[in-house]
Amino acid sequence: MAKSVTTPSPIISWLPLDRQKEYTQSYSTKLYERLSTNLKKRYRLKKHDLLANVNLVLLYIHKDDESESWLFEKFGTEALLVPLQQSDIVDRTLITGNQKRHAVNDLARKQKQAMRRAESLLSAISEEVTNRDNKTCLLLPPKNFGRDIEKVFDCIRNVSLAGDRKEGFQKKLNRTLGSLRTVREDGRTYIVGQGGLVFKSPGKAGARHGLAPVWETPGHDLSCVIRGRVRFGVSYDPRFHYDCDISKDNKRRFPSCHGSKTIPRNRGHVNIAPNDNVR
């Protein structure tokens, strides 16, 4: 179940599992399409920036197997994935009305408990991507930053699986940040990605000239729009981007948000947004 919580009413997108009861690439893709389509429809009706203040949460039955990787691949960048511990009643054949009611009530209870834990975690993530966006590692662009981004994603996943709240999250995040390569330039500390690319975060207000694509932007898909505004379940500044210095004769191809490759020309730096939108 993917749940996008907005004010005043929630948008809920859900999709039942098939008889195999496993998460698949096809299942994850269909669920994501449902969510993004519902978000776009609501945007068209309300005519405002729907993603400016949003909590995007994916509630899923924790199976502790490789099939969960499909969910994380599709939703892991923009949504906070919250596991529901599987009850033994799920594996039983539900025949009587009482058995079915018990199963529904048990799942609803677990969902409420999981959402209470998620609220605390969302608050902590919001503080990072809103007040510490120049310093946090949570907004690094996955494709262009490189393999070390897995440490950041694993941090969020481990916190969610453990049911940690703010304190536990902050400890794990500090350890993750400490494990990434950094460099000091001009009195500031920046995080270094693959190929020695230094991700220099901009200052406030006027220094932010990036802009994430909107629903109608040609050449981009729905995930480009959502990932350009939401990270780990929390909205961030869509103007936020990184300035990465490169030599003018650099022929490096930078992967963009929707899979294309970009070579910046006649510039000493490249702008890369958290959703890998390259300018």
Side-chain angles (χ1 to χ4, degrees):
M1 178 188 296
K3 181 176 181 181
S4 174
V5 185
T6 67
T7 302
S9 59
I11 300 173
I12 298 177
S13 303
W14 67 280
L15 186 66
L17 289 171
D18 59 18
R19 292 185 178 181
Q20 299 298 321
K21 296 182 179 180
E22 291 184 353
Y23 301 118
T24 63
Q25 183 179 23
S26 175
Y27 173 88
S28 302
T29 299
K30 288 179 181 178
L31 181 57
Y32 193 93
E33 289 174 350
R34 286 194 178 190
L35 173 65
S36 54
T37 299
N38 286 340
L39 285 171
K40 188 174 182 180
K41 285 180 180 178
R42 178 68 66 88
Y43 164 78
R44 286 177 171 173
L45 289 173
K46 296 296 182 180
K47 296 297 180 185
H48 63 82
D49 189 356
L50 178 66
L51 299 177
N53 296 287
V54 65
N55 287 145
L56 187 60
V57 177
L58 178 74
L59 296 174
Y60 70 101
I61 300 297
H62 180 45
K63 295 180 175 296
D64 195 23
D65 59 27
E66 293 183 356
S67 72
E68 290 185 1
S69 64
W70 293 117
L71 291 178
F72 280 86
E73 180 176 318
K74 203 66 184 178
F75 292 88
T77 303
E78 54 268 64
L80 176 64
L81 276 70
V82 177
L84 300 176
Q85 295 304 319
Q86 187 169 201
S87 170
D88 59 353
I89 199 169
V90 174
D91 296 324
R92 302 177 191 172
T93 301
L94 305 178
I95 300 176
T96 68
N98 187 54
Q99 288 176 327
K100 293 177 181 178
R101 284 192 296 274
H102 179 69
V104 171
N105 290 337
D106 181 61
L107 189 59
R109 177 178 57 82
K110 292 180 182 296
Q111 177 177 325
K112 288 181 180 179
Q113 292 174 342
M115 284 305 298
R116 282 196 293 268
R117 295 194 302 270
E119 287 173 359
S120 176
L121 184 52
L122 287 169
S123 176
I125 294 174
S126 179
E127 185 175 338
E128 285 289 312
V129 302
T130 302
N131 300 325
R132 290 176 47 80
D133 52 7
N134 283 299
K135 299 178 180 179
T136 188
C137 60
L138 295 187
L139 290 177
L140 291 169
K143 295 177 183 177
N144 283 283
F145 185 71
R147 184 173 296 178
D148 272 356
I149 195 66
E150 295 175 3
K151 297 179 181 179
V152 179
F153 282 83
D154 286 344
C155 170
I156 297 296
R157 183 174 187 177
N158 293 337
V159 167
S160 185
L161 285 172
D164 288 344
R165 303 194 181 223
K166 280 189 176 183
E167 296 77 11
F169 162 74
Q170 200 60 58
K171 290 180 180 179
K172 286 185 172 67
L173 184 61
N174 288 339
R175 286 199 295 268
T176 300
L177 185 57
S179 68
L180 299 175
R181 181 185 168 193
T182 60
V183 63
R184 292 281 295 180
E185 291 187 13
D186 303 322
R188 295 185 59 187
T189 300
Y190 300 109
I191 304 175
V192 182
Q194 62 183 348
L197 198 62
V198 180
F199 287 83
K200 297 182 178 181
S201 53
K204 298 292 184 182
R208 302 185 178 200
H209 51 78
L211 187 61
V214 296
W215 302 106
E216 298 83 4
T217 303
H220 291 275
D221 56 36
L222 295 177
S223 68
C224 299
V225 179
I226 299 173
R227 291 179 180 179
R229 290 165 172 79
V230 187
R231 175 60 61 95
F232 299 130
V234 176
S235 298
Y236 66 88
D237 184 354
R239 300 170 301 166
F240 183 87
H241 66 280
Y242 294 94
D243 290 322
C244 301
D245 294 330
I246 57 174
S247 60
K248 290 186 177 181
D249 59 349
N250 191 303
K251 299 299 181 181
R252 182 171 181 168
R253 295 170 62 85
F254 295 88
S256 194
C257 44
H258 46 274
S260 63
K261 298 283 188 176
T262 302
I263 303 177
R265 298 184 183 278
N266 301 318
R267 300 179 62 182
H269 72 277
V270 57
N271 296 142
I272 307 178
N275 70 333
D276 282 296
N277 190 24
V278 176
R279 297 170 58 245

